[in-house]
Amino acid sequence: VREGGCASPKPPPHPLSLCSPLAQSFSLKAQVKEMCTACQKTVYPMERLVADKFVFHNACFCCKHCHTKLSLGSYAALHGEFYCKPHFQQLFKSKGNYDEGFGRKQHKELWVHKEVESGTKSA
């Protein structure tokens, strides 16, 4: 107690102490680490790139066919695979359909099997 009967005022809490209103307004939880879709390593904010809801390092975002580095304006995606636009067009045009051009069975084969099973296959 100081002279005059007054108690010394309590200093305000440090802005970063757990009791301060500033610290309570921020979440103290650790952020979830994001993993690169291509290399499965941690992606930090400065090297983060998001394409079709997939997270990549800038350096890992490459064409599946030729491994050329892609940018958000220079890629095409199909079934979760990423291609440069020239190879996407080349692969599509060479087979004439998206499924066969990318190593999948043609969707129309499903129709043929259904027609054979039901006995209504037309000539």
Side-chain angles (χ1 to χ4, degrees), residues 39-55:
C39 71
Q40 298 303 310
K41 294 182 181 177
T42 302
V43 177
Y44 297 100
M46 291 298 291
E47 57 190 7
R48 183 176 182 263
L49 184 140
V50 179
D52 288 355
K53 299 182 183 178
F54 292 98
V55 177

Side-chain angles (χ1 to χ4, degrees), residues 59-70 82-84 87:
C60 293
F61 188 50
C62 298
C63 174
K64 182 181 179 186
H65 187 77
C66 67
H67 306 291
T68 301
K69 188 174 179 300
L70 299 173
F82 296 87
Y83 300 89
C84 61
H87 281 123

Side-chain angles (χ1 to χ4, degrees), residues 108-122:
K108 68 181 180 180
E109 289 180 16
L110 297 174
W111 302 336
V112 172
H113 293 301
K114 287 181 181 177
E115 290 174 353
V116 170
E117 289 172 1
S118 65
T120 60
K121 186 174 181 179
S122 57

Side-chain angles (χ1 to χ4, degrees), residues 1-66:
V1 178
R2 294 187 328 190
E3 285 183 38
C6 294
S8 62
K10 184 178 179 182
H14 187 275
L16 298 179
S17 75
L18 295 177
C19 297
S20 75
L22 179 63
Q24 291 173 359
S25 67
F26 292 103
S27 173
L28 299 175
K29 296 178 184 176
Q31 287 186 343
V32 176
K33 291 183 180 179
E34 289 185 300
M35 304 303 265
C36 176
T37 302
C39 71
Q40 298 303 310
K41 294 182 181 177
T42 302
V43 177
Y44 297 100
M46 291 298 291
E47 57 190 7
R48 183 176 182 263
L49 184 140
V50 179
D52 288 355
K53 299 182 183 178
F54 292 98
V55 177
F56 295 92
H57 291 108
N58 285 325
C60 293
F61 188 50
C62 298
C63 174
K64 182 181 179 186
H65 187 77
C66 67

